[in-house]
Amino acid sequence: MKSFFHVQDIGNLNSAINEAFQVKKTPFAWKELGMNRTIMLVFFNGSLRTRLSSQKAALNLGMNPIVLNIGQDSWKLETEMGVVMDGDKSEHLREAIPVMASYCDIIGIRSFAGLSDREYDYNETVLKQFIEFGGKPVISLESATVHPCQAFADLITIEEHKRNPRPKVVMTWAPHPKALPQAVPNSFAEWMNAADVDFVITHPEGYELDPRFAGNAKVEYDQMKALEGADFVYAKNWSCPGVRDRSQYGSILSKDMSWTVDDRHMAVTNNAFFMHCLPVRRNMIVSDSVIDSPTSLVIPEAANRVVSAQVVMKRMLESL
Ligand code: CP
């Protein structure tokens, strides 16, 4: 595996899930595979789960993880080409990437969408520079448009907890005070469309995901109707993807608190499990009562981030 951005990169989903269960059962069985190998984890943005689970996964495989927080541990990096660097950014990605790549075997990058220029974000401009100038396998640790390690962990969690062969999975938009990227819902939609589930997306008008991620998923604008009979409720906020109106890209179109997932919403489901990638704003995205209920999977979901990262790193090590 040379890169991990999209569901297609993992190949057959059933094989990947079985491998994930094996990795979870015997996490140290491939300790020799990563010996004398280094993974560079580059963070342009904050993180708790991705940072720690990636390091843990690398250590389980016997690899040396190096974490770099851009702008805190390093110089501030310029990401635009052709600019006069007379500001506060001391180094260009064009030099920094090959230097970082020369110190490692695999690179993981967290680089969020700026949410001001749709074309720049949806072209994955920063990630593509790491591919072009690094020459090493690249993992998206949440880039502008995708968060595949999260979506893979979500799928593993659903497979572990499903009570029927083809569960109904509903991804619902929920309110948030800040404009958030679309990477998590994009990847979740992409992975659920590839998985054997009955997938429904619900959000207010104007929040339609980019068709390359939404695919043929059913979109139901009536949230309560969408949630009827759900086996899994996956809550997430995202800002306007700018599909209907490019000028609205990255903006907040609604703060409607009736979309906050609470007991009223869960009552119409099939005693559904609640999921969220975390971090979560309590009583904005989800009520205390739902996230603290026995059917909340937010902690096992986060724990599975080690498993998804380890499968991906294992496959990359095997193809070096
Ligand atoms: N879910 C997730 O990616 O969490 P962090 O932003 O804390 O890494």
Side-chain angles (χ1 to χ4, degrees):
M1 187 192 282
K2 289 289 174 210
S3 60
F4 186 59
F5 313 135
H6 295 290
V7 68
Q8 296 87 347
D9 297 326
I10 203 81
N12 182 285
L13 267 191
N14 285 333
S15 306
I17 291 161
N18 287 335
E19 193 172 331
F21 290 157
Q22 193 58 41
V23 161
K24 191 162 182 170
K25 213 160 90 182
T26 57
F28 308 115
W30 297 271
K31 198 84 183 165
E32 302 295 310
L33 191 60
M35 193 187 286
N36 299 327
R37 297 289 191 183
T38 300
I39 184 165
M40 182 83 65
L41 302 166
V42 182
F43 286 85
F44 287 84
N45 312 95
S47 165
L48 188 155
R49 279 143 292 275
T50 306
R51 172 188 307 265
L52 298 179
S53 62
S54 301
Q55 289 181 80
K56 175 68 177 143
L59 291 167
N60 286 353
L61 291 164
M63 262 197 292
N64 303 307
I66 300 176
V67 179
L68 186 71
N69 302 302
I70 300 294
Q72 296 168 40
D73 306 335
S74 76
W75 305 111
K76 278 191 183 170
L77 296 184
E78 179 58 64
T79 57
E80 306 274 355
M81 299 302 279
V83 293
V84 177
M85 290 176 59
D86 59 354
D88 64 342
K89 293 174 178 167
S90 311
E91 183 163 15
H92 202 284
L93 268 187
R94 186 66 187 84
E95 288 77 51
I97 291 171
V99 169
M100 290 189 278
S102 74
Y103 303 148
C104 66
D105 302 285
I106 300 172
I107 307 182
I109 303 135
R110 166 156 288 198
S111 172
F112 287 172
L115 296 180
S116 57
D117 182 340
R118 190 181 198 278
E119 203 178 326
Y120 184 88
D121 289 344
Y122 271 74
N123 276 339
E124 287 284 6
T125 310
V126 173
L127 197 68
K128 280 185 182 159
Q129 291 189 61
F130 275 87
I131 298 164
E132 187 178 354
F133 303 129
K136 296 284 166 71
V138 173
I139 304 173
S140 166
L141 300 176
E142 187 173 343
S143 49
T145 63
V146 289
H147 195 358
C149 295
Q150 180 65 54
F152 186 17
D154 296 334
L155 177 60
I156 295 165
T157 311
I158 289 168
E159 286 293 323
E160 283 177 328
H161 290 86
K162 69 183 186 185
R163 293 172 295 214
N164 60 63
R166 197 164 191 278
K168 179 175 178 182
V169 178
V170 180
M171 177 167 73
T172 178
W173 177 94
H176 195 281
K178 290 170 62 181
L180 298 186
Q182 297 111 42
V184 170
N186 281 346
S187 281
F188 189 72
E190 186 184 59
W191 284 67
M192 287 303 110
N193 282 329
D196 191 14
V197 300
D198 173 15
F199 183 49
V200 179
I201 306 173
T202 183
H203 53 70
E205 299 259 357
Y207 279 98
E208 293 76 16
L209 295 175
D210 190 290
R212 76 193 92 165
F213 298 106
N216 294 324
K218 183 176 179 203
V219 177
E220 170 57 66
Y221 294 105
D222 181 332
Q223 187 193 27
M224 294 302 282
K225 199 170 162 197
L227 291 170
E228 278 171 16
D231 297 296
F232 293 87
V233 175
Y234 191 93
K236 186 70 186 86
N237 173 268
W238 62 92
S239 61
C240 175
V243 170
R244 282 192 187 180
D245 180 350
R246 290 284 195 266
S247 71
Q248 291 184 323
Y249 174 65
S251 61
I252 295 174
L253 304 179
S254 170
K255 287 188 180 177
D256 184 350
M257 295 289 282
S258 74
W259 283 74
T260 302
V261 178
D262 61 17
D263 294 326
R264 182 177 62 95
H265 296 89
M266 297 303 281
V268 301
T269 69
N270 182 26
N271 191 28
F273 290 106
F274 175 80
M275 299 179 71
H276 188 277
C277 62
L278 304 181
V280 71
R281 301 254 183 164
R282 281 172 175 254
N283 304 308
M284 286 291 305
I285 299 284
V286 57
S287 68
D288 286 335
S289 58
V290 171
I291 196 169
D292 292 332
S293 74
T295 52
S296 171
L297 293 180
V298 295
I299 305 304
E301 189 182 349
N304 278 334
R305 291 292 306 277
V306 176
V307 183
S308 64
Q310 193 169 334
V311 172
V312 172
M313 290 177 198
K314 173 178 168 289
R315 289 191 177 191
M316 284 188 169
L317 287 168
E318 285 166 345
S319 64
L320 283 176

